[in-house]
Amino acid sequence: MTDLETRAAPPGARAALRRAAPALLGYAAVRALGLLALALWSAARDKSAYTLLTARWDALWYTRVAELGYGYEVRLPNGDVHSNLAFFPLLPWLERLLAAVTPLSYADAGFVVALLASLAAAWGIFAVADHVYGRRVGVCAAVLWAVLPVGIVQSMAYSESLFTALAAWSLYAVLTGRWVTAGALACLAGLTRPVGLAVVAAVWAAAIAAFVRDRGTSGVAGRRALGMLLAPLGAAAYVLWVGHRTGKGPLGYLDVQAGWRNGFDGGYAFARFVTDKFTSLPSALAGVGLIVGVGLVVWLYVVCVRQRQPLPLLVYAGVVTALALCASSYFGSKPRLLMPAFPLLLPLALALARLRTPRSALVLGTVAAACATYGAFWLNGSGPP
């Protein structure tokens, strides 16, 4: 891997924005198509597309935290306890802040944060891919992230877009040797989702590798150490606070997650779920689809390794993928949980970048139309949650 301290200095903000403009315009066009498809489909079913984006599933939990704080829980007939302590605080904090300084409701604020964060995430993905492979690959990577089958989640009042933005820019800061910025952004990512641990792991892995090479000056080494110190503070602070709040110590957050039947079992529950699909012919087809999907994800990661992506990208994508596939959470959420693992898209972006522009535009346009249709169908049906 190229020494991170010897990379060229990143361009200024205005020049960087001009360079990223094609990626951002392409991303915005795809997301606008997805929202249009959702609006038309929802209208045909006499539903509110805006309600689907801002006031269902996890979005309701986030706005409740923003409005009333922590302490709300739902006890289900089977004994499970769904506590809002399971939801990390950065998105509700931003919703509360925006609602306080504007006429927006908490739900409206969540939608605005998601839209702005999704653009920031697309820019961050472009910046990482551009830095590693060049501008053309960066544009393809940003648009590929937009055309994911569950890309509509990027426009929901959920935390995926905010987390991906923080993760992407933290990784970019690592790649450009800005360790304090990388650590601060990793800290914020750790306040956004439990998978913030993946960003922390990436920062630490890159920093340790740099210490082993020992090519930096004492000043660089000090900034690198400070970045390592900052990176885990967000996640650690919230987990410890939850443990104190519940009276169950450092592992209290795991008890909160257990109330939602979330946990890490090495993929056993997911494997059993897939196996159970082969009890009848119709569900067996779904089982085959799940196996193919998991195989594709694993194959993409192997390709990332073979293409020698920078260490922080490999560590980040590997941890996100492992946590998503090996968790015992609601299985319909697996695609959404994998969405922040954007380095997995870089091999596809490389392949697209090798095509002539009209052909790559045709491929991306066709996939965008298909995914916009699927997103509208999905959100009007089973949805994320």
Side-chain angles (χ1 to χ4, degrees):
M1 185 178 69
T2 305
D3 186 9
L4 300 181
E5 269 85 16
T6 62
R7 295 293 182 93
R14 186 171 299 177
L17 180 58
R18 285 198 301 269
R19 185 171 179 83
L24 296 179
L25 290 173
Y27 176 83
V30 172
R31 292 276 27 95
L33 178 63
L35 292 175
L36 176 61
L38 176 65
L40 294 175
W41 195 295
S42 301
R45 293 176 59 88
D46 198 25
K47 291 185 178 181
S48 167
Y50 191 69
T51 298
L52 293 175
L53 293 169
T54 63
R56 291 189 69 186
W57 303 297
D58 289 6
L60 289 173
W61 288 89
Y62 282 118
T63 54
R64 187 181 291 272
V65 172
E67 183 178 5
L68 302 174
Y70 286 103
Y72 176 78
E73 63 183 27
V74 175
R75 295 183 177 272
L76 303 183
N78 65 356
D80 290 344
V81 178
H82 289 183
S83 168
N84 64 0
L85 290 170
F87 296 87
F88 277 50
L90 186 57
L91 176 59
W93 286 347
L94 293 176
E95 290 178 347
R96 179 180 296 180
L97 175 62
L98 192 55
V101 299
T102 68
L104 297 176
S105 68
Y106 293 111
D108 296 337
F111 182 64
V112 171
V113 170
L115 290 183
L116 295 177
S118 68
L119 286 170
W123 191 356
I125 292 169
F126 166 82
V128 169
D130 179 28
H131 184 78
V132 177
Y133 295 115
R135 186 185 192 188
R136 188 175 176 87
V137 177
V139 173
C140 291
V143 178
L144 276 173
W145 193 65
V147 302
L148 289 174
V150 294
I152 190 65
V153 174
Q154 296 164 19
S155 302
M156 297 179 68
Y158 273 41
S159 60
E160 274 77 9
S161 290
L162 178 61
F163 173 79
T164 305
L166 294 168
W169 284 107
S170 178
L171 291 170
Y172 178 72
V174 169
L175 293 173
T176 54
R178 294 178 294 169
W179 295 101
V180 176
T181 300
L185 292 172
C187 175
L188 293 175
L191 285 169
T192 307
R193 295 187 63 80
V195 76
L197 294 174
V199 191
V200 177
V203 173
W204 274 60
I208 291 171
F211 276 122
V212 170
R213 289 192 304 269
D214 197 25
R215 295 180 182 176
T217 64
S218 59
V220 171
R223 292 193 296 273
R224 192 189 305 143
L226 179 56
M228 292 179 69
L229 178 65
L230 289 172
L233 292 184
Y238 183 68
V239 168
L240 291 175
W241 180 80
V242 170
H244 175 74
R245 174 74 178 256
T246 60
K248 297 183 178 180
L251 300 181
Y253 184 76
L254 298 181
D255 288 338
V256 170
Q257 287 283 26
W260 287 81
R261 294 188 180 270
N262 289 339
F264 189 87
D265 62 1
Y268 172 75
F270 185 45
R272 188 176 61 184
F273 172 77
V274 174
T275 302
D276 290 344
K277 291 292 183 182
F278 290 91
T279 56
S280 63
L281 182 59
S283 62
L285 296 176
V288 171
L290 288 170
I291 292 174
V292 170
V294 171
L296 176 62
V297 169
V298 174
W299 175 75
L300 284 173
Y301 187 75
V302 171
V303 174
C304 291
V305 173
R306 288 179 175 175
Q307 292 179 345
R308 298 187 178 183
Q309 282 188 14
L311 177 63
L313 300 188
L314 292 176
V315 171
Y316 169 74
V319 174
V320 172
T321 301
L323 290 177
L325 295 182
C326 297
S328 59
S329 56
Y330 174 66
F331 304 116
S333 295
K334 297 292 185 183
R336 174 171 66 88
L337 298 178
L338 283 166
M339 193 169 62
F342 67 87
L344 297 179
L345 299 174
L346 297 187
L348 301 177
L350 273 166
L352 277 172
R354 295 189 183 106
L355 300 177
R356 294 180 181 273
T357 299
R359 183 170 297 181
S360 61
L362 177 62
V363 171
L364 288 171
T366 302
V367 176
C371 290
T373 303
Y374 174 76
F377 164 77
W378 182 57
L379 210 56
N380 275 276
S382 60

